[in-house]
Amino acid sequence: MAETVLLMGLPNVGKSVIFNRLTGLNVRAANYCGTTVQYTAGKLILDNKEFNLVDVPGTYSLQATNEAEAVAVDMLQGGTSEMFEKVSHCEHYPCPASFLQKPTAVICVVDAANMEASIYLLLQVLQKGIPAIVALNRSDLAREKGHCIDAITLSRELELPVVPTVAVSGEGMNVLKEKLTAIIQNQSLPTCPQNDEVTWKEVENICQQIWQKDTSAPPNRREKWGDLLTRPWPGLPLAILIIALVFGVVVGVGLLLRQQILLPFFRSLVFPYIELIVTQAIPPGIIREIFIGEYGFLIKGIEWPFALVLPYIISFYAALSFLEDSGYLPRLGVLLDGLLNRIGLQGSGIIPLILGYGCAIPAILATRTLNSSKEKIITTTMICLAIPCIAQTGAFIALLSARSIPVMLAVFLLGILVMITAAIILNRKLEGYPPEMLMEIPELLLPRLDVLFKKVWLRIKHFMVDGALPLVLGVALAALLYETGIMKLIGSIMQPLVVNWLGLPADAAIPLILGILRRELIVLPLLDMELSTLQLFVGATVGLFYVPCIAVLASLIREFNLKMAGSILLFTSVGAFLIGGIIYQLGSLFFS
Amino acid sequence: MRYRKRKRTGPTSRATAEQDFQSCRFLQEIYLDEMPPHQTGFISFLPDNSMLTFLGLRPEKEVEVVTRQRFGGPLIVKTNGRYIAVSRTLAAQIKVVNFLPPEEEEEKNG
């Protein structure tokens, strides 16, 4: 079994970026604390020998005061942990069983812009008696601020190699690999004071020797903007402006891509050929209809994922990556903290909510960084109940933007309203302490274009594998049900609910069943049903509040338990039919 | 008197804080959430919360209140070049020593 090398450090110092650089993998990285919530292993090749490099979620100390720290301590000692199953991530090479042996070496990532807390953690790691190397990361930021760090003295004081790095640009990575190889070969153990507890006095002494701060330097432009965006004035008006701008860019760029590029491309260049080939190859009948008929999966199965949904995946993740890497999201959290407190959340709860507009699965994972289980439950319920994923948003825009922009806005506003109401109710009903904010506001950074492109590209790839395939299968299933007449049968069984209570055509029963596969499948089939405006509104509302997709249910079971997944399932299906029905019944009084 | 109303006063920069020290001006101990924006003080008491120490809020450290958020949101304080958001309830448990603003001092001197 390959030996293990750990990558440790404070939150938000760039461990994941270094991990990606060293292993060639692509784990999620962003400019706020707690982006990495699970352990990921990757292959690291040093001198033709293979090692497992493990990206450990950021910790401040090794005092094992919380779950994350306890697991980090276990990993350093090479023990087993019950919690380990839950927090490890086995998607990539290799299997986490190898995590459980004592590591061969540790790469301590030290934040050059925040020396004291970094050194405090470093001294604790060194006490564990494992060969270690220091990556002095973000040294460009420290230089820019006029800080001067004496890496040579630090290296001499602690008797271990110190390599200045800039992970985002790859600076120092080769040197880091060379020195790491050397300490593994020599098994050189750090000789540091082995007293029981690291004191801040020691840390401050070390910092005084190696760290010179230039306090007279005037704040630079980034710092000034970072400060302005954090103040209520002009931060709050700017926040509204930024959210509006992001919404505009996501919808606008998505529409542009769809209308001007992707739809014309498929409709004029691809579909005619498909139809030609299928008509020539397959005689008229059910099989041909399954391919190119009403729900023909060679037509809808291509048009829906690649022309209607993909454009919004691109525009949303471009905008989200920009927000994530700039460090704006924690600032938004701070500005809205007071308001979010009233629904039982603290400001940083805004991050999972915003991630949820992309996909609920990473959003639910991100709730791990929240302090209390009460906050986790409230945030998760909000995400599952009324935050549409970007694929479903794309479907909503396709359904509603051509017919009625006000209906589209009304659906989104209704979603926010219901979400807040649900949070207020849960906040009253659930027990727990009121949330208290205590967090560092990261520096405002200008995101790098190459990083943004890479993130968007990864998302597209992810959608192709995990999103488009179930969607195509869903369409194929719909085609099969429609052409064989089973759809009519299901429609007549569900008539009391779908036709009488919701006022939708009987065919709308099918999307309700397909919706469990992918959320956009509740909305997209409505496109061809020639609905009235009221029916559009009802259909979109039911689609918005309806049950989360099967992948989200699975991650609910994983993160919480079967009971939580069950109650979300019950809550969302009852809620969707109740709200949709009330809207139809009230609406039909006025509009008929 | 924990929540004494205070007049808002102008900024006290680091340079003037040092001058104040030299000229032995009046010191007062107040809670962090009572300190007006732009003033600096030195931490004299902290509640038992290890996160505070990791974020650089430790006894004798200098803190500046940068801004207070609306709707009862957190205080933003700056220490050692880092910006930290601290909820009001937590800030109401942290004590700092700072200097009386000049006009109040004049009143005291008569």
Side-chain angles (χ1 to χ4, degrees):
Chain A
M1 208 187 304
E3 292 169 42
T4 307
V5 175
L6 298 186
L7 196 59
M8 297 189 80
L10 302 184
N12 205 30
V13 294
K15 291 178 295 300
S16 296
V17 186
I18 293 187
F19 178 83
N20 289 345
R21 288 262 169 208
L22 291 178
T23 59
L25 289 174
N26 290 298
V27 296
R28 230 166 70 76
N31 182 16
Y32 49 77
C33 294
T35 318
T36 308
V37 288
Q38 45 190 353
Y39 290 71
T40 310
K43 199 187 336 182
L44 168 70
I45 310 243
L46 292 174
D47 206 17
N48 293 327
K49 202 178 160 201
E50 216 173 86
F51 291 88
N52 295 335
L53 184 68
V54 181
D55 186 16
V56 180
T59 51
Y60 282 101
S61 79
L62 295 179
Q63 288 154 347
T65 45
N66 59 37
E67 196 178 291
E69 285 177 8
V71 180
V73 175
D74 276 349
M75 289 216 60
L76 276 170
Q77 287 161 348
T80 49
S81 165
E82 284 169 19
M83 283 179 275
F84 204 80
E85 285 278 293
K86 211 179 148 193
V87 293
S88 61
H89 184 55
C90 194
E91 208 173 280
H92 305 287
Y93 168 96
C95 175
S98 57
F99 291 4
L100 301 175
Q101 55 184 336
K102 193 169 165 126
T104 312
V106 184
I107 304 175
C108 274
V109 185
V110 161
D111 183 0
N114 176 15
M115 285 304 281
E116 286 186 341
S118 294
I119 297 281
Y120 184 79
L121 177 68
L122 174 64
L123 291 182
Q124 289 186 330
V125 173
L126 294 185
Q127 285 184 351
K128 302 284 175 191
I130 299 163
I133 181 170
V134 170
L136 191 61
N137 199 30
R138 312 218 292 175
S139 44
D140 55 334
L141 284 184
R143 269 198 299 268
E144 196 189 297
K145 278 181 150 183
H147 293 185
C148 179
I149 294 155
D150 186 351
I152 297 167
T153 312
L154 179 65
S155 169
R156 209 172 41 217
E157 275 290 308
L158 301 172
E159 295 179 36
L160 49 89
V162 176
V163 184
T165 57
V166 181
V168 284
S169 69
E171 195 183 312
M173 288 301 133
N174 287 334
V175 186
L176 188 69
K177 273 187 176 177
E178 275 168 31
K179 301 241 165 138
L180 184 62
T181 318
I183 60 158
I184 290 175
Q185 276 165 359
N186 304 338
Q187 279 296 304
S188 42
L189 289 177
T191 48
C192 79
Q194 293 286 329
N195 34 350
D196 296 331
E197 211 177 310
V198 177
T199 60
W200 284 106
K201 204 87 216 145
E202 283 172 64
V203 173
E204 279 167 21
N205 279 342
I206 294 175
C207 286
Q208 229 163 26
Q209 290 177 49
I210 57 156
W211 191 24
Q212 274 169 1
K213 281 174 287 179
D214 183 6
T215 43
S216 63
N220 55 29
R221 255 212 339 247
R222 276 192 311 102
E223 237 176 298
K224 271 186 201 156
W225 271 101
D227 191 34
L228 283 180
L229 288 171
T230 322
R231 292 171 190 276
W233 171 260
L236 277 170
L238 280 175
I240 297 171
L241 205 71
I242 289 171
I243 293 172
L245 196 72
V246 166
F247 188 78
V249 165
V250 171
V251 174
V253 172
L255 262 174
L256 199 76
L257 278 173
R258 189 188 87 181
Q259 289 308 98
Q260 303 300 329
I261 301 172
L262 292 165
L263 264 185
F265 170 74
F266 284 115
R267 286 199 174 153
S268 60
L269 288 175
V270 179
F271 295 154
Y273 290 103
I274 292 180
E275 276 170 8
L276 194 72
I277 294 168
V278 173
T279 8
Q280 295 207 331
I282 302 168
I286 288 185
I287 301 190
R288 187 201 275 186
E289 292 299 307
I290 286 176
F291 281 110
I292 55 169
E294 182 84 354
Y295 284 99
F297 92 92
L298 281 183
I299 304 291
K300 301 294 180 210
I302 291 173
E303 183 183 302
W304 288 353
F306 302 116
L308 301 190
V309 173
L310 184 65
Y312 297 98
I313 303 252
I314 297 173
S315 64
F316 177 82
Y317 282 105
L320 180 72
S321 306
F322 188 88
L323 288 180
E324 277 193 330
D325 286 6
S326 63
Y328 183 67
L329 292 180
R331 288 181 163 76
L332 189 63
V334 165
L335 287 170
L336 299 180
D337 180 67
L339 289 178
L340 287 170
N341 278 178
R342 284 165 215 194
I343 58 170
L345 297 181
Q346 59 157 314
S348 46
I350 196 83
I351 294 176
L353 292 180
I354 288 177
L355 291 181
Y357 280 97
C359 172
I361 296 169
I364 292 169
L365 211 58
T367 59
R368 276 191 193 167
T369 52
L370 300 178
N371 293 345
S372 68
S373 63
K374 179 179 170 180
E375 282 175 66
K376 271 184 82 167
I377 293 175
I378 295 178
T379 318
T380 307
T381 312
M382 288 168 86
I383 293 166
C384 293
L385 183 66
I387 295 188
C389 67
I390 189 62
Q392 201 186 20
T393 305
F396 278 137
I397 297 171
L399 180 70
L400 301 172
S401 67
R403 290 286 299 273
S404 167
I405 298 279
V407 170
M408 190 171 95
L409 291 177
V411 171
F412 279 92
L413 285 179
L414 184 71
I416 292 172
L417 205 71
V418 169
M419 181 164 85
I420 292 173
T421 317
I424 291 173
I425 295 170
L426 281 176
N427 185 28
R428 295 250 170 96
K429 294 281 170 208
L430 293 174
E431 281 177 27
Y433 297 102
E436 264 186 19
M437 178 174 260
L438 176 60
M439 65 166 204
E440 177 162 12
I441 301 169
E443 301 212 19
L444 196 72
L445 301 173
L446 192 66
R448 293 167 56 99
L449 264 184
D450 55 334
V451 179
L452 285 188
F453 275 119
K454 199 167 180 189
K455 277 187 159 188
V456 175
W457 171 238
L458 279 174
R459 276 290 153 185
I460 296 174
K461 246 169 63 182
H462 184 253
F463 171 71
M464 293 291 180
V465 179
D466 290 353
L469 201 65
L471 190 50
V472 174
L473 289 178
V475 177
L477 185 67
L480 200 68
L481 294 176
Y482 183 82
E483 300 301 339
T484 51
I486 301 175
M487 197 186 258
K488 281 252 170 332
L489 192 73
I490 298 174
S492 61
I493 295 169
M494 288 176 70
Q495 188 168 5
L497 180 70
V498 178
V499 180
N500 301 353
W501 172 243
L502 294 175
L504 295 173
D507 279 356
I510 286 296
L512 288 178
I513 291 166
L514 294 178
I516 191 94
L517 275 180
R518 295 272 305 168
R519 288 195 75 165
E520 62 270 35
L521 275 176
I522 319 168
V523 184
L524 287 169
L526 302 178
L527 272 171
D528 299 322
M529 288 187 191
E530 287 170 11
L531 305 176
S532 68
T533 310
L534 178 61
Q535 283 178 319
L536 278 179
F537 188 38
V538 174
T541 313
V542 173
L544 176 64
F545 298 125
Y546 196 55
V547 295
C549 71
I550 205 154
V552 172
L553 284 172
S555 75
L556 279 175
I557 296 172
R558 193 176 126 94
E559 279 302 304
F560 295 88
N561 47 38
L562 210 58
K563 194 181 150 205
M564 177 74 178
S567 24
I568 293 269
L569 202 60
L570 189 77
F571 204 35
T572 47
S573 45
V574 171
F577 292 131
L578 198 69
I579 298 170
I582 291 172
I583 291 173
Y584 171 69
Q585 301 296 338
L586 285 179
S588 59
L589 290 180
F590 294 102
F591 295 109
S592 60
Chain B
M1 282 220 304
R2 252 185 79 180
Y3 289 99
R4 190 159 56 103
K5 279 258 176 219
R6 288 175 50 91
K7 271 185 283 181
R8 291 231 164 161
T9 49
T12 313
S13 69
R14 194 192 161 90
T16 57
E18 269 163 18
Q19 281 164 14
D20 284 341
F21 239 146
Q22 280 157 14
S23 56
C24 282
R25 307 216 355 232
F26 283 101
L27 286 169
Q28 57 173 0
E29 190 175 47
I30 54 171
Y31 287 92
L32 184 60
D33 70 327
E34 296 173 319
M35 198 157 78
H38 310 301
Q39 282 208 10
T40 52
F42 294 86
I43 295 175
S44 55
F45 173 80
L46 282 166
D48 188 21
N49 183 337
S50 55
M51 258 310 270
L52 285 170
T53 60
F54 301 137
L55 294 176
L57 295 170
R58 295 194 294 275
E60 294 169 36
K61 291 274 170 186
E62 189 179 5
V63 280
E64 178 192 340
V65 174
V66 178
T67 179
R68 302 150 94 62
Q69 294 298 334
R70 295 290 149 82
F71 324 113
L75 258 68
I76 310 292
V77 300
K78 190 178 174 184
T79 177
N80 217 348
R82 303 162 73 188
Y83 290 84
I84 319 285
V86 186
S87 75
R88 301 248 172 134
T89 20
L90 205 53
Q93 299 166 40
I94 300 172
K95 280 186 194 165
V96 288
V97 172
N98 85 338
F99 300 96
L100 276 183
E103 47 287 30
E104 275 186 42
E105 205 171 290
E106 275 162 28
E107 282 167 31
K108 273 202 174 174
N109 286 332

